[in-house]
């Protein structure tokens, strides 16, 4: 008799356990629960995207500072924070006209023969 009572109790406990497990899974599959899960995943993705954008912005700022240092562009204290001072003008070397070079231009277009199709 104890054997039958034991198996009856074990079966009842397994049935209750399985029923609660199935009910929990069914509650997870309701439209409201699925919508809440989707919203949570969207918020999580948004936070990850924001963190990525902040990392990219920090890297851009670091690289911009490196380039400004390399090019000699320094911050002028009289200017706002987002404007950098440019270095002085550079002296450019004049290009001499070569009459045998067909790619140079002169002010008189009739003397220069330049074939634009040679570039393609």
């Amino acid at each position: 008799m104890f054997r039958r009572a034991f198996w009856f109790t074990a079966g009842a406990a397994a049935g209750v356990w399985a029923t609660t497990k199935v009910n929990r899974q069914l509650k997870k599959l309701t439209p409201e629960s699925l919508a809440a899960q989707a919203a949570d995943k969207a918020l999580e993705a948004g936070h990850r995207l924001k963190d990525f954008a902040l990392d990219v912005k920090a890297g851009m700022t670091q690289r911009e500072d490196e380039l400004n240092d390399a090019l000699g562009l320094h911050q002028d204290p009289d200017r706002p924070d987002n404007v950098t001072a440019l270095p002085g003008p550079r002296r450019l070397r004049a290009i001499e006209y070569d009459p045998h070079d067909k790619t140079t231009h002169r002010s008189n277009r009739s003397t220069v023969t330049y074939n634009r199709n040679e570039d393609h």
Side-chain angles (χ1 to χ4, degrees):
M1 177 139 155
F2 287 110
R3 189 177 253 182
R4 287 184 185 174
F6 171 76
W7 286 114
F8 177 77
T9 306
V16 169
W17 176 80
T19 303
T20 56
K21 191 89 165 167
V22 167
N23 284 335
R24 285 182 190 165
Q25 290 299 323
L26 288 176
K27 285 181 182 179
K28 286 183 182 179
L29 296 176
T30 61
E32 295 85 12
S33 178
L34 291 176
Q37 288 176 9
D40 290 341
K41 294 290 183 181
L43 285 175
E44 183 181 337
H47 289 301
R48 287 183 181 178
L49 186 62
K50 181 181 176 185
D51 291 341
F52 174 72
L54 291 174
D55 289 344
V56 169
K57 186 174 180 179
M60 286 173 38
T61 303
Q62 179 184 358
R63 182 62 179 152
E64 185 177 359
D65 291 340
E66 291 172 1
L67 291 173
N68 284 340
D69 289 341
L71 294 174
L73 300 175
H74 299 287
Q75 197 74 15
D76 190 0
D78 296 335
R79 295 178 187 253
D81 289 339
N82 60 351
V83 178
T84 57
L86 296 175
R90 297 181 182 173
R91 295 183 59 122
L92 297 177
R93 193 173 55 184
I95 299 174
E96 295 181 17
Y97 173 70
D98 183 9
H100 301 292
D101 186 9
K102 295 188 187 278
T103 61
T104 57
H105 295 281
R106 286 181 39 164
S107 61
N108 186 358
R109 291 203 174 248
S110 62
T111 60
V112 176
T113 58
Y114 180 73
N115 188 354
R116 296 170 87 192
N117 292 328
E118 289 178 0
D119 293 339
H120 300 286

